[in-house]
């Protein structure tokens, strides 16, 4: 089964703008894979994994539909798969 680094998948899925930002997000403990907190940016994800990300006072839940392709022809299918990803964002109210 094919696998891809967690930080690389987050970057390709456009969760963050840079791969280094993805790595620091994982290292800071804001990412869970299948419900388990992951602190290693090199953790391998596969199709079907559920990734939970705490960002900007909200939570984003994403399912890995497919890994980022190495050829340009398959990129369109990858981009289409991102539309089908389950995304749940819940903004928390400001504490005043």
């Amino acid at each position: 089964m094919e696998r891809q680094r967690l930080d690389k998948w987050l970057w390709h899925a456009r969760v963050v703008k840079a791969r280094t930002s993805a790595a620091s997000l994982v290292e800071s403990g804001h990412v869970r894979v299948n419900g388990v907190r992951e602190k290693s940016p090199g953790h391998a994800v596969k199709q079907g994994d559920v990734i939970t990300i705490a960002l900007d006072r909200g939570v984003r839940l994403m399912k890995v539909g497919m890994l980022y392709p190495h050829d340009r022809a398959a990129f369109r299918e990858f981009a289409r798969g991102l539309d089908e990803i389950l995304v749940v964002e819940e903004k928390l109210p400001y504490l005043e």
Side-chain angles (χ1 to χ4, degrees), residues 8-96:
K8 194 171 184 180
W9 191 88
L10 291 171
W11 176 51
H12 286 304
R14 310 268 165 95
V15 174
V16 291
K17 290 186 178 184
R19 188 167 166 189
T20 55
S21 299
S24 60
L25 184 69
V26 174
E27 288 172 346
S28 63
H30 294 289
V31 179
R32 292 177 185 257
V33 178
N34 297 325
V36 178
R37 184 168 301 203
E38 188 56 54
K39 289 200 168 199
S40 172
H43 178 80
V45 294
K46 61 186 182 313
Q47 287 182 329
D49 283 350
V50 176
I51 300 173
T52 308
I53 308 150
L55 279 175
D56 300 329
R57 295 192 173 143
V59 176
R60 186 176 286 184
L61 183 67
M62 305 178 89
K63 185 174 182 180
V64 179
M66 74 178 283
L67 302 176
Y68 188 79
H70 295 288
D71 59 339
R72 291 185 73 95
F75 178 75
R76 193 172 286 164
E77 184 181 339
F78 175 77
R80 248 187 250 122
L82 288 177
D83 293 338
E84 298 170 7
I85 289 175
L86 173 65
V87 177
V88 178
E89 290 191 45
E90 179 181 330
K91 297 290 182 182
L92 302 175
Y94 289 105
L95 301 174
E96 294 182 10

